[in-house]
């Protein structure tokens, strides 16, 4: 098993890609803490992993709260005895023209998508140091690499911020054996993209931009996250793993 003996904390793991990562990590031998604001969904993922013989724990986590992050890391360490992996996955999406974007909407998205990654990293590093090293995987987006006219200003800015925060984290903690990499998914079938997929014209416009001609599946991203989380990626830090069906190749 690729994560045998390791303990992981994944934010936003109650559904979507985070839940796919939690299930995959557990199948690969990791103990997994599922952090999310969605309690019922998070507890269901925990129960499902346990029913299949895995080790899991749901922790209530709002990624914008430093106190919640400290509690989540403490809960994971106290249950699993260590923390080796953090996946900063929680995020919100949206679309808005720049002039129609309120300052409040900007702050909310930046708080969840960018500050949440900073706070999670800050809370997890001391525990990883005690474990003798670790791997942090930050979920950015293909929209952290290139612009898209009908995205939203704080989505693009927050995902770009995650990309470079990843590199600083990689540089500041490489000496302690803590690696940090970003993942850049393209459009994936999750609740976040439900509205775009429900409208046939919007769906077609998106698919037309994807050379592989379809949306990705959550598991197709989870396998990339698994690689970066595992010791197979022991020489990989500060890098960007693009899983976007070819979106950014053109
Ligand atoms: P999703 O909406 O299915 O899941 C996001 C999860 O984050 C949910 O469980 C939600 O409750 C949680 N979350 C939201 N705000 C939170 C908060 N304040 N604290 C804790 N948890 C919170 O979306 P997804 O598609 O699985 O997205 C996962 C990540 O992937 C996000 O960072 C997203 O920006 C990124 N991403 C998604 C796509 C896509 O096409 N779906 C593409 C590129 C990047």
């Amino acid at each position: 098993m690729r994560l045998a003996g390791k303990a992981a904390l994944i934010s936003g793991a109650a559904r979507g890609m985070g839940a796919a990562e939690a299930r995959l990590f557990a199948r690969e031998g990791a103990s997994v803490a599922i952090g999310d604001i969605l309690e019922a969904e998070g507890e269901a993922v925990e129960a499902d992993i346990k029913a299949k013989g895995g080790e899991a724990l749901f922790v209530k986590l709002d990624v914008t709260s430093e106190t919640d992050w400290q509690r989540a890391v403490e809960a994971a360490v106290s249950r699993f005895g260590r923390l080796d992996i953090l996946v900063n996955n929680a995020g919100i999406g949206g679309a808005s023209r720049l002039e129609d974007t309120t300052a409040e909407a900007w702050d909310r998205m930046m708080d969840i998508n960018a500050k949440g990654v900073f706070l999670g990293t800050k809370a997890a590093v001391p525990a990883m140091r005690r474990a003798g090293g670790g791997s942090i995987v930050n979920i950015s987006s293909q929209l952290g690499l290139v612009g898209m006219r009908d995205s939203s200003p704080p989505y693009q800015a927050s995902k770009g911020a995650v990309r470079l925060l990843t590199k600083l984290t990689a540089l500041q903690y490489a000496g302690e054996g803590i690696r940090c990499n970003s993942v850049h998914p393209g459009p994936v079938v999750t609740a976040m993209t439900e509205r775009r997929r429900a409208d046939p014209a919007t769906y077609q416009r998106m698919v037309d931009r994807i050379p592989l001609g379809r949306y990705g599946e959550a598991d197709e991203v989870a396998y990339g996250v698994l690689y970066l989380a595992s010791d197979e990626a022991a020489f990989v830090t500060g890098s960007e793993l693009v899983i976007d069906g070819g979106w950014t190749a053109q």
Side-chain angles (χ1 to χ4, degrees), residues 2-240:
R2 297 166 70 182
L3 298 179
K6 293 194 188 290
L9 168 58
I10 306 175
S11 71
R15 70 177 192 205
M17 285 188 253
E21 288 147 19
R23 292 192 170 94
L24 178 59
F25 281 20
R27 290 202 297 277
E28 291 296 338
S31 303
V32 187
I34 298 149
D36 209 296
I37 45 175
L38 299 177
E39 293 187 51
E41 290 88 338
E43 280 163 4
V45 175
E46 175 193 315
D48 185 40
I49 289 173
K50 284 179 168 165
K52 294 186 169 92
E55 188 70 55
L57 167 73
F58 171 72
V59 286
K60 179 107 194 296
L61 167 69
D62 178 341
V63 294
T64 65
S65 160
E66 190 154 21
T67 312
D68 272 20
W69 268 115
Q70 281 157 357
R71 286 202 192 117
V73 169
E74 272 164 34
V77 171
S78 113
R79 173 70 76 90
F80 306 139
R82 54 191 294 122
L83 184 67
D84 308 281
I85 299 161
L86 169 68
V87 183
N88 281 308
N89 163 80
I92 56 169
S96 63
R97 230 176 135 251
L98 190 138
E99 288 170 275
D100 302 329
T101 304
T102 62
E104 291 73 26
W106 169 275
D107 285 345
R108 178 158 182 270
M109 202 177 274
M110 291 299 285
D111 275 0
I112 295 172
N113 290 5
K115 190 164 89 180
V117 175
F118 157 66
L119 292 176
T121 303
K122 191 177 168 193
V125 158
M128 290 184 173
R129 183 177 289 129
R130 289 197 298 276
S135 173
I136 300 168
V137 184
N138 293 333
I139 308 303
S140 174
S141 168
Q142 98 277 26
L143 300 179
L145 300 170
V146 296
M148 180 172 87
R149 199 167 48 175
D150 49 353
S151 179
S152 99
Y155 193 75
Q156 298 246 235
S158 62
K159 293 302 183 179
V162 168
R163 171 177 175 262
L164 279 177
L165 179 61
T166 299
K167 296 188 194 303
L168 171 119
T169 306
L171 295 172
Q172 290 196 344
Y173 295 102
E176 299 190 75
I178 298 172
R179 299 182 293 103
C180 185
N181 295 284
S182 58
V183 172
H184 301 263
V188 175
V189 178
T190 66
M192 186 177 283
T193 57
E194 217 166 82
R195 225 160 9 129
R196 278 186 199 268
R197 285 181 291 111
D199 174 49
T202 311
Y203 176 74
Q204 198 51 51
R205 199 155 32 84
M206 292 294 283
V207 167
D208 286 346
R209 293 177 175 175
I210 307 170
L212 286 179
R214 63 173 176 85
Y215 272 58
E217 298 295 331
D219 272 343
E220 294 175 316
V221 175
Y223 276 106
V225 179
L226 168 65
Y227 163 68
L228 292 171
S230 79
D231 292 338
E232 295 158 18
F235 197 51
V236 183
T237 199
S239 79
E240 301 165 16

